[in-house]
Amino acid sequence: MKVPFSWLKDYAEIDITAQELQDKLFSCGFEVEELTYLGKDVTNVVTGRITKTEKHPDADRRTVCRVDCGAHGAKQICTAATNVFEGAIVPVALDGSTVLHEGGVQKIKTGKLRGVTSEGMFCSGEELGISDDFYAGAEVNGILILDDDTPIGVDIRPVVGIDDYIFDIAVTANRPDCQSVFGMAREVAAILKKPLKTPATDYIAHPTDVKISVTVKEPTLCPRYIGHYVADVRIGTSPRWMRRRLALCGLRSVSDVVDITNFVLLELGQPMHAFDRNYLQGGIVVRRAKEGEKIVTLDEKEFTLTPENLLICDEKKGVALAGVMGGLNSEIKPDTAAVFFEAAKFARDSVRKTSRALGQRSDSSARFEKGIDAYTCAFAMDRALHLVQELGCGKPTTWRVDVNAESMVPRIVKTTYKKIDDLLGICVPHAEMCAILTRLGFEVTATEEGMTVTVPLWRDDVDGYPDLAEEIIRSYGYEHTVPTFLSAATVTGGGLTHAQKTEAKAKNVIRWQGYLEACNYSFYSPKDFDLLRLPADAPERRAVRILNPIGEDLSVMRTILAPSMIANVVRNVRRGNDEGALFELANVYLPKELPLTELPEERKHLVLVRWGGGDFFDVKGAVEALADAFDVRLSYEKGEKPFLHPGITAIVKCGEKEVGWIGELHPAIAGELALEKRVVLAELDYAALERKFAKDITYHALPKFPAVVRDLAVVVDEGVTCAQMEACIVKSCKAAKKAELFDVYRGIRLGADKKSMAFHITFVPEEKAITPELADTYFKKIVDGLNKNLGAELR
């Protein structure tokens, strides 16, 4: 939020520099994201009076001027401007000055133009960085002509209103009362311990026979609505001080009546709207829009509405989108003769939903989304009517309608000094507590043990004594706090927990396999389940839905990580990254029942994806590397998943328990996503695997005798898997420590549905060397075991 330094000074006595105020605001919880001096690029530019003009002797389109620059002496300036004349007071950029030029900064030096010396340059409004809202005539095509009573030889910056600082303040979500200049002035006055000057709100109400009714059909969405009738309106131009303040905050002047509503928005944080009374048919009705109802807003955009949108209507039509923007059909025009002012409080969620659904944002919607209190509605209306009277652009009447469903009784918070001290961990002087709260607008009744605090109606964020403690400490100073242990705390060695160390090790193992870690949102679209072709009763579809999602694409909590990884692959491929490998270790959210009666189970899953280069066995290798690192034995069985290739899918097991799957993305899904290269995924139940990870690793001495390797080739049925063969080999002989498949052969000689599988078998001796005779014995045991259990025949 932009706050001009000069505007703050209207309400608070500020006797420190802008830089010092920036530090003080930060110390009490308001971050100044940027402090900008408006005149930083305009230097050594002064006012001067043109005393003589004559044609350039060698350039028809240039004029040579003599200029009186006061204490800076007389100067000669050559100019091509056509609007200069003797007696005119103009901005003069002297030798060595800087001005704005084509988005940058230009340095001005004395030089010669066609043989005539020019000791500087006259400036236009553009070169000073100003518009007509700063100074009349700034936008003309020529030199800026200053008022006749402008002093000579003075710095131009105060004259045109750029000798000012702009604070860009980040207002936190819990302080909507500070999203205005006056709201920040309250804080500044409290920080500096200075009195606060409240904007004038007095006005004379003129009798009227006009009565405009207001009906609020949705009080939960519009808790307060104030309307006030203003007669004898004369649309004109706002005074320079008002136009300048609007310009300092980034708004252009429109007309005096419209400018008043914008001024009050910036000054008090209350969005207002002015309806042309002649275009209102009957009274005002605040209701939900009808399905398909249309409205054209002030920016000439047409929107089709739903009952989710709150609409301000007359008896015939919609005249404004509540909290977002007024309607074009009731805008203020040059011939407007009567106005109906609106100041209201709209529910923040209602405005946010309408703004997002329609893609229509405004300064008003930004304020309403953060929250507007009911008290400020009346304050802002009175302020607007005072300005109407001050500017002479209309006559406030006696007709006001105030429909209010909000309680206007201030909250009372009773607390003891001890509670606040205990919460802060320090002892704040009791008198200082009361003084701080009083400066912030609270009414405090102090007793010996504590205080009774009346919360201002504009502070919806204060509910109890913890909020009071926060107000006290941010003004008293966080530097007073003393670091202490909690009462039940003990000194620990710190460091990572066993689970964190295990997780870090698992990630490192996967990284060593060439994978990069991805981090995705914990939610995605329900359409992702359709993409995976999951059946309607699939357990993955039992997902927790977000009550107020950012959008449909992020509306359900993840029950499986694969869709996020597939989306990552699509995003990479579309950006020209045709191959890669990613992994993610994150929670899935598994509800016990829907709708929720308790929090869902948060269970860690590990997902890997490789696309472009590599195949099924590369991903399987990464999974096996993880298992080896934690001394876990996994087995694999042929499996089926609706989103995986029917012939390249395996179920991963740990013992008898299924702990995941590996497979290639189904070709039909890959085609739908325009993925031309192979995509292989694996997803493991990390939580189940973690329980199998070896907690303590034991070490054994290396064998004294060399291992013996024998090759074995057997014929088995086509349905026998490598995993079954390896398990049977190791089980058949205690000395067989490892079996590695190195060849698979299919041929007519073997018979139908038969295949030959060849293995390297490693025998490791324990107590004595393995002789050829002993190796033969081991070999026979394995052949017999394979024949008995899997029907294998030695080739």
Side-chain angles (χ1 to χ4, degrees):
M1 182 186 70
K2 293 183 178 180
V3 179
F5 193 32
S6 59
W7 201 348
L8 280 175
K9 291 179 178 179
D10 282 358
Y11 312 120
E13 296 178 14
I14 302 176
D15 53 6
I16 59 176
T17 66
Q19 291 76 12
E20 290 171 326
L21 181 58
Q22 177 184 14
D23 294 337
K24 287 187 176 292
L25 286 170
F26 182 79
S27 68
C28 68
F30 294 96
E31 180 186 359
V32 179
E33 295 182 331
E34 185 177 15
L35 178 62
T36 305
Y37 179 58
L38 291 178
K40 64 183 176 64
D41 295 326
V42 179
T43 61
N44 202 26
V45 180
V46 300
T47 58
R49 185 190 300 277
I50 300 175
T51 58
K52 184 181 179 181
T53 64
E54 57 185 19
K55 288 291 184 181
H56 191 290
D58 198 28
D60 294 339
R61 296 186 180 181
R62 291 192 179 273
T63 304
V64 180
C65 303
R66 295 294 297 175
V67 188
D68 177 11
C69 295
H72 300 276
K75 304 293 179 182
Q76 179 172 283
I77 306 290
C78 292
T79 180
T82 58
N83 64 330
V84 295
F85 56 90
E86 292 182 2
I89 300 176
V90 296
V92 182
L94 303 176
D95 181 44
S97 62
T98 58
V99 296
L100 295 167
H101 179 69
E102 295 182 352
V105 179
Q106 180 181 16
K107 189 170 185 178
I108 305 302
K109 296 181 179 180
T110 297
K112 286 190 176 183
L113 295 174
R114 294 284 184 95
V116 177
T117 299
S118 182
E119 299 174 282
M121 184 184 80
F122 294 147
C123 298
S124 65
E126 182 180 1
E127 287 154 338
L128 299 177
I130 61 174
S131 64
D132 281 345
D133 290 336
F134 279 86
Y135 202 98
E139 297 180 26
V140 300
N141 184 22
I143 301 306
L144 172 62
I145 306 299
L146 302 173
D147 295 339
D148 292 341
D149 58 354
T150 304
I152 303 301
V154 299
D155 188 345
I156 193 63
R157 291 175 293 193
V159 174
V160 298
I162 57 174
D163 185 26
D164 203 352
Y165 286 90
I166 303 295
F167 293 85
D168 192 351
I169 302 174
V171 180
T172 55
N174 66 320
R175 292 303 305 274
D177 60 295
C178 289
Q179 53 184 353
S180 65
V181 177
F182 183 64
M184 289 308 308
R186 286 195 194 107
E187 296 294 322
V188 171
I191 294 167
L192 302 180
K193 301 180 181 179
K194 300 288 186 180
L196 177 70
K197 181 183 176 182
T198 304
T201 56
D202 59 302
Y203 63 92
I204 298 172
H206 300 269
T208 182
D209 294 329
V210 175
K211 290 179 170 48
I212 302 172
S213 63
V214 174
T215 304
V216 178
K217 294 186 175 181
E218 296 289 340
T220 56
L221 303 183
C222 178
R224 191 173 194 186
Y225 189 101
I226 300 177
H228 202 111
Y229 176 62
V230 177
D232 297 338
V233 171
R234 295 175 296 281
I235 301 298
T237 303
S238 300
R240 180 184 295 175
W241 63 266
M242 179 176 283
R243 298 200 312 272
R244 176 179 176 272
R245 287 190 171 166
L246 293 175
L248 287 173
C249 296
L251 298 181
R252 288 193 64 89
S253 174
V254 179
S255 67
D256 44 14
V257 171
V258 175
D259 288 353
I260 286 171
T261 62
N262 288 332
F263 184 87
V264 172
L265 167 69
L266 298 172
E267 183 183 43
L268 303 180
Q270 172 65 55
M272 294 189 64
H273 188 65
F275 297 102
D276 188 325
R277 173 65 184 92
N278 293 334
Y279 291 91
L280 292 179
Q281 297 175 283
I284 291 290
V285 180
V286 183
R287 61 169 174 80
R288 291 182 183 271
K290 299 172 184 175
E291 187 67 47
E293 192 169 1
K294 297 181 184 295
I295 187 172
V296 179
T297 50
L298 288 170
D299 55 0
E300 300 183 3
K301 294 179 182 178
E302 183 178 68
F303 297 99
T304 302
L305 309 179
T306 71
E308 290 295 312
N309 309 128
L310 192 65
L311 197 60
I312 311 298
C313 312
D314 59 19
E315 292 180 0
K316 302 289 185 181
K317 62 188 179 301
V319 294
L321 266 176
V324 180
M325 191 174 288
L328 188 65
N329 54 17
S330 59
E331 70 170 333
I332 302 301
K333 296 181 174 63
D335 60 350
T336 296
V339 164
F340 190 66
F341 275 118
E342 167 196 281
K345 175 180 179 179
F346 299 113
R348 65 180 74 183
D349 57 333
S350 173
V351 175
R352 182 172 60 251
K353 287 177 181 177
T354 295
S355 179
R356 288 182 177 175
L358 301 179
Q360 182 78 335
R361 289 187 60 82
S362 63
D363 289 336
S364 294
S365 68
R367 258 62 171 202
F368 280 118
E369 287 179 28
K370 292 179 180 177
I372 296 293
D373 59 88
Y375 162 81
T376 306
C377 296
F379 185 19
M381 181 62 79
D382 291 342
R383 177 61 172 161
L385 297 175
H386 170 87
L387 292 171
V388 167
Q389 183 172 287
E390 181 180 335
L391 271 56
C393 56
K395 291 182 179 179
T397 70
T398 54
W399 183 253
R400 172 179 292 195
V401 182
D402 187 350
V403 181
N404 188 11
E406 289 266 300
S407 171
M408 301 306 291
V409 178
R411 290 187 300 282
I412 306 294
V413 178
K414 294 182 179 181
T415 186
T416 62
Y417 302 123
K418 185 177 184 305
K419 278 186 176 181
I420 291 178
D421 286 342
D422 288 347
L423 188 61
L424 298 178
I426 59 173
C427 291
V428 181
H430 300 169
E432 183 64 16
M433 286 189 190
C434 298
I436 289 171
L437 292 175
T438 300
R439 288 196 297 270
L440 289 169
F442 295 82
E443 294 181 13
V444 182
T445 302
T447 64
E448 187 175 342
E449 297 295 326
M451 52 188 171
T452 300
V453 180
T454 302
V455 181
L457 289 170
W458 61 82
R459 291 299 300 273
D460 287 342
D461 60 305
V462 177
D463 262 336
Y465 81 90
D467 297 314
L468 297 180
E470 180 185 357
E471 296 298 305
I472 290 167
I473 192 59
R474 69 185 183 85
S475 293
Y476 186 60
Y478 291 103
E479 68 273 10
H480 291 95
T481 56
V482 179
T484 57
F485 278 114
L486 297 173
S487 57
T490 57
V491 179
T492 66
L496 301 176
T497 64
H498 177 76
Q500 290 170 329
K501 290 177 181 178
T502 302
E503 188 173 315
K505 179 180 176 181
K507 288 182 177 181
N508 283 333
V509 170
I510 301 299
R511 289 190 188 100
W512 296 334
Q513 303 304 310
Y515 290 76
L516 298 176
E517 185 173 5
C519 184
N520 295 294
Y521 287 123
S522 295
F523 23 78
Y524 43 46
S525 171
K527 293 179 182 178
D528 288 333
F529 298 135
D530 298 331
L531 175 68
L532 297 187
R533 304 185 175 187
L534 295 172
D537 58 348
E540 292 89 350
R541 286 187 179 270
R542 298 186 69 254
V544 178
R545 287 189 170 271
I546 308 297
L547 288 178
N548 188 23
I550 295 174
E552 181 66 15
D553 289 345
L554 299 171
S555 61
V556 295
M557 303 297 289
R558 296 193 293 183
T559 56
I560 180 175
L561 302 183
S564 298
M565 277 303 186
I566 294 172
N568 290 343
V569 173
V570 172
R571 193 176 299 111
N572 273 275
V573 170
R574 287 177 180 174
R575 285 162 174 76
N577 190 8
D578 291 331
E579 63 179 61
L582 297 173
F583 78 94
E584 182 180 14
L585 180 57
N587 285 337
V588 294
Y589 301 85
L590 309 175
K592 294 182 180 177
E593 57 180 321
L594 291 174
L596 290 177
T597 56
E598 58 182 306
L599 292 176
E601 178 189 0
E602 297 184 25
R603 192 174 183 87
K604 282 196 181 295
H605 274 206
L606 173 66
V607 62
L608 299 89
V609 65
R610 181 178 286 276
W611 73 96
D615 56 16
F616 174 92
F617 295 102
D618 290 291
V619 178
K620 179 173 177 284
V623 172
E624 290 179 337
L626 177 67
D628 290 343
F630 290 98
D631 196 26
V632 173
R633 185 175 294 276
L634 299 177
S635 60
Y636 306 88
E637 295 180 1
K638 185 176 180 180
E640 290 185 2
K641 293 286 180 181
F643 51 90
L644 297 179
H645 193 298
I648 313 178
T649 302
I651 299 301
V652 183
K653 286 190 169 184
C654 184
E656 296 300 317
K657 182 177 177 59
E658 182 178 327
V659 293
W661 48 263
I662 307 173
E664 184 177 318
L665 186 64
H666 198 291
I669 298 176
E672 187 178 335
L673 297 173
L675 298 174
E676 297 178 357
K677 296 186 178 181
R678 177 186 290 120
V679 178
V680 183
L681 302 110
E683 184 160 338
L684 304 175
D685 185 345
Y686 177 83
L689 281 176
E690 189 179 25
R691 289 195 289 269
K692 300 291 185 180
F693 290 168
K695 300 293 189 297
D696 299 308
I697 298 176
T698 57
Y699 297 90
H700 300 277
L702 292 173
K704 297 178 182 179
F705 306 100
V708 175
V709 179
R710 286 285 188 93
D711 290 344
L712 169 67
V714 293
V715 178
V716 295
D717 292 336
E718 186 66 49
V720 175
T721 66
C722 176
Q724 290 174 309
M725 291 289 292
E726 289 177 352
C728 188
I729 290 169
V730 173
K731 185 178 179 181
S732 299
C733 178
K734 185 179 178 181
K737 301 299 182 183
K738 185 165 62 172
E740 294 179 283
L741 178 72
F742 69 87
D743 182 59
V744 177
Y745 170 76
R746 295 176 178 84
I748 298 174
R749 289 184 178 183
L750 299 180
D753 297 326
K754 295 287 184 178
K755 62 183 177 182
S756 169
M757 303 180 74
F759 292 87
H760 295 306
I761 303 174
T762 302
F763 299 104
V764 178
E766 293 183 354
E767 297 177 355
K768 59 181 180 179
I770 299 177
T771 63
E773 294 78 16
L774 186 57
D776 289 340
T777 303
Y778 292 158
F779 193 84
K780 186 175 185 307
K781 282 185 178 181
I782 292 171
V783 172
D784 291 344
L786 290 174
N787 180 265
K788 179 180 178 181
N789 293 295
L790 299 175
E793 296 289 342
L794 188 65
R795 281 190 69 185

